[in-house]
C-alpha cells in the first residue's frame, strides 16, 4: 500500500534508523561484554549486584536490538502496521531497560566508595585465613599496583606483615621471593581504595553513557515508527 509523500520520507528514515539500531546493538553488546570482563576480577570488593547484572542486561539488550531492527526494517519496507507496532513496543521496552541501566549507573556512581570501603575493611581481616579473600587481594594489588586500603600501613594496623603482592618483580633467592618491605625497589606505595573506586567509576560511566546515549536515539525511532504506523492505519481506514 502506498503512503503519502511526507510519510514516505518517514518510512525511509525509519528504515535507515534501523540500520543505525543494528550498529547500536553491536555497540551495546560489546560494551556489555567489556564491562563484564573488566569488572569480574573485582566484584568481590563491592556489595552491589549492579556490576554483575548491568553488563549482562546490556549484553541481552544488544542481542534483542538486532531482532528488533529486523522487525523495524521489514515493517517499514512492507508498510506492515502490525510489524511496525511490534517494533515500537520492543523498542520502547529496550528504551526503558537502557534508561534504567543509565540511571542505576549514575546512582551507584555516588555511593560506590562507601560500598568498596566497607567490603575491603571486612575482607582484609580474613586475608590470613580465607584463601579466596587472599587470592582476590593479591590479584587486586598486583593488577592495580597498590597496597592496603588507603595505604600500605593498613596491613600493620591489622597486625599483618606486608603481602608479597605489595611489591612487583621481587628478586628470587634460593627459589623463594625476597620479603616485601617498604624499602623494596618495586614497593607499591598507593592504597587500593582510590584506584579501585576510579576503576569502577570508569565502568559505570561507560555503562551509563552507552545506556542513556543509545536510549535517546531509540526514542526517536519510536516516534518515527508511531508516525508511520498511524499513517498506514489511516490509509487502511480510508480504503
Amino acid at each position: 500500500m502506498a503512503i503519502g509523500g511526507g510519510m514516505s520520507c518517514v518510512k525511509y528514515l525509519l528504515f535507515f534508523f534501523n540500520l543505525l539500531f543494528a550498529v547500536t546493538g553491536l555497540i551495546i553488546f560489546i560494551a556489555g561484554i567489556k564491562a563484564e570482563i573488566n569488572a569480574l576480577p573485582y566484584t568481590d570488593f563491592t556489595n552491589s549486584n549492579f556490576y554483575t547484572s548491568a553488563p549482562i542486561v546490556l549484553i541481552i539488550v544488544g542481542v534483542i536490538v538486532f531482532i528488533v531492527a529486523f522487525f523495524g526494517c521489514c515493517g517499514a519496507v512492507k508498510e506492515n502496521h502490525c510489524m511496525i507496532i511490534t517494533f515500537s513496543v520492543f523498542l520502547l521496552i529496550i528504551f526503558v531497560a537502557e534508561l534504567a541501566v543509565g540511571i542505576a549507573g549514575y546512582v551507584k556512581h555516588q555511593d560506590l566508595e562507601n560500598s568498596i570501603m566497607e567490603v575491603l575493611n571486612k575482607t582484609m581481616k580474613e586475608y590470613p585465613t580465607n584463601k579466596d579473600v587472599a587470592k582476590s587481594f593479591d590479584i587486586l594489588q598486583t593488577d592495580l599496583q597498590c597496597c592496603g586500603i588507603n595505604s600500605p600501613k593498613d596491613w600493620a594496623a591489622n597486625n599483618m606483615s606486608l603481602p608479597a603482592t605489595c611489591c612487583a618483580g621481587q628478586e628470587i633467592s634460593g627459589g623463594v621471593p625476597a620479603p616485601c618491605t617498604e624499602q623494596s625497589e618495586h614497593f607499591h606505595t598507593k592504597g587500593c581504595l582510590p584506584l579501585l573506586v576510579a576503576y569502577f567509576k570508569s565502568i559505570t560511566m561507560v555503562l551509563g553513557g552507552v545506556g542513556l546515549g543509545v536510549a535517546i536515539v531509540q526514542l526517536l525511532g519510536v516516534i518515527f515508527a508511531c508516525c508511520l504506523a498511524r499513517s498506514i492505519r489511516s490509509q487502511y481506514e480510508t480504503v
Side-chain angles (χ1 to χ4, degrees):
M1 177 179 290
I3 54 180
M7 285 301 104
S8 178
C9 180
V10 174
K11 165 184 170 179
Y12 291 110
L13 278 174
L14 181 59
F15 178 81
F16 286 113
F17 252 99
N18 278 281
L19 295 181
L20 179 61
F21 293 152
V23 175
T24 59
L26 181 62
I27 292 173
I28 295 169
F29 183 77
I30 293 174
I33 290 178
K34 186 175 180 181
E36 175 72 11
I37 293 172
N38 289 344
L40 188 61
Y42 311 120
T43 51
D44 290 340
F45 293 112
T46 174
N47 53 21
S48 172
N49 293 325
F50 174 79
Y51 299 98
T52 54
S53 60
I56 295 174
V57 169
L58 286 187
I59 291 171
I60 295 173
V61 166
V63 173
I64 294 176
V65 164
F66 280 103
I67 300 173
V68 171
F70 170 78
F71 277 103
C73 284
C74 292
V77 171
K78 295 183 178 180
E79 300 173 17
N80 186 299
H81 179 267
C82 182
M83 293 187 75
I84 293 176
I85 291 298
T86 301
F87 165 75
S88 301
V89 171
F90 279 150
L91 204 59
L92 195 58
I93 292 172
I94 291 172
F95 169 78
V96 173
E98 290 169 348
L99 194 63
V101 170
I103 293 173
Y106 177 79
V107 171
K108 295 300 178 182
H109 179 273
Q110 302 300 309
D111 60 8
L112 178 63
E113 185 169 353
N114 291 335
S115 170
I116 294 178
M117 169 72 86
E118 180 183 343
V119 176
L120 285 175
N121 280 322
K122 179 181 177 181
T123 55
M124 176 177 267
K125 296 179 175 62
E126 301 176 14
Y127 185 89
T129 57
N130 190 320
K131 291 183 179 180
D132 291 333
V133 168
K135 182 179 179 181
S136 296
F137 252 104
D138 288 341
I139 291 174
L140 175 66
Q141 294 188 147
T142 300
D143 289 352
L144 300 186
Q145 296 186 353
C146 58
C147 182
I149 300 175
N150 293 296
S151 74
K153 297 185 184 300
D154 292 322
W155 291 106
N158 284 277
N159 299 317
M160 286 180 273
S161 58
L162 290 171
T165 51
C166 278
C167 297
Q170 284 291 87
E171 294 184 3
I172 297 177
S173 176
V176 179
C180 178
T181 67
E182 294 186 9
Q183 287 72 43
S184 298
E185 182 180 357
H186 301 291
F187 177 64
H188 300 155
T189 58
K190 296 180 179 179
C192 294
L193 178 62
L195 298 178
L196 189 56
V197 169
Y199 186 84
F200 271 118
K201 280 187 177 180
S202 68
I203 293 176
T204 58
M205 293 302 290
V206 169
L207 291 177
V210 169
L212 292 175
V214 174
I216 292 172
V217 174
Q218 291 176 343
L219 182 60
L220 294 175
V222 172
I223 295 172
F224 278 121
C226 289
C227 291
L228 182 59
R230 186 173 64 177
S231 175
I232 294 172
R233 185 177 181 85
S234 65
Q235 291 289 335
Y236 275 115
E237 290 174 349
T238 55
V239 173

